Amino acid sequence: MARAEKKKVTPSSKPLKKYVIDYSKPANDGVFDGAGFEKYLHDRFKVDGRPGQLGDSVKIQKSGNTIVVTYYVPIAKTYLKYLTKKYLKKYELRDWIRVVAPSKDKYELRFYNVEKDEDEES
């Protein structure tokens, strides 16, 4: 059988989609490194099966406590969530921080709600 050839994706002139990752809550508590997360995304993001070679296809910009990822090629939103969860797992933050989508084009990093029962403490 012949191997199926992958199609090369060419970037369009205008952005197809823009996603925002807001990590302000963990960053304000000092448990999350935004610059390290941005570097992780730059190094691990795959375009045409090649990690770290974004070219003109994807732009990743940090502004304040948010990261804006602009796609010029079709890429699934869940891939961004996957990379975020992988970063949290690498730095052992996955037990305390979760990734939530409050709107269609935004992700937030939030702490899990941990409530202690008074019966358990006694």
Side-chain angles (χ1 to χ4, degrees):
M1 292 178 103
R3 184 186 275 192
E5 293 183 28
K6 288 188 175 181
K7 294 181 182 179
K8 283 277 189 177
V9 180
T10 56
S12 64
S13 60
K14 65 177 187 171
L16 290 177
K17 203 70 172 164
K18 185 183 284 190
Y19 294 114
V20 177
I21 302 174
D22 182 15
Y23 58 88
S24 58
K25 292 177 184 175
N28 290 340
D29 286 347
V31 296
F32 193 81
D33 179 26
F37 180 52
E38 180 187 18
K39 183 178 180 334
Y40 182 85
L41 287 178
H42 274 287
D43 294 343
R44 301 290 174 105
F45 211 97
K46 286 186 180 181
V47 177
D48 290 333
R50 298 181 181 157
Q53 298 179 2
L54 303 178
D56 295 332
S57 303
V58 178
K59 302 279 188 214
I60 300 174
Q61 299 146 352
K62 180 178 174 246
S63 60
N65 283 339
T66 60
I67 290 182
V68 179
V69 181
T70 307
Y71 297 124
Y72 292 90
V73 293
I75 296 176
K77 179 183 172 188
T78 54
Y79 182 61
L80 194 57
K81 185 174 184 177
Y82 165 78
L83 286 176
T84 305
K85 289 168 81 172
K86 200 167 179 175
Y87 176 82
L88 293 174
K89 184 69 173 175
K90 180 179 179 181
Y91 291 101
E92 299 174 356
L93 297 172
R94 187 85 174 94
D95 295 335
W96 296 282
I97 300 174
R98 63 188 179 137
V99 183
V100 180
S103 66
K104 191 174 180 181
D105 58 349
K106 184 176 181 181
Y107 279 123
E108 279 186 9
L109 300 183
R110 296 182 185 169
F111 288 105
Y112 283 109
N113 292 334
V114 179
E115 296 181 21
K116 295 183 179 179
D117 293 332
E118 293 177 13
D119 299 334
E120 292 179 9
E121 293 177 3
S122 301

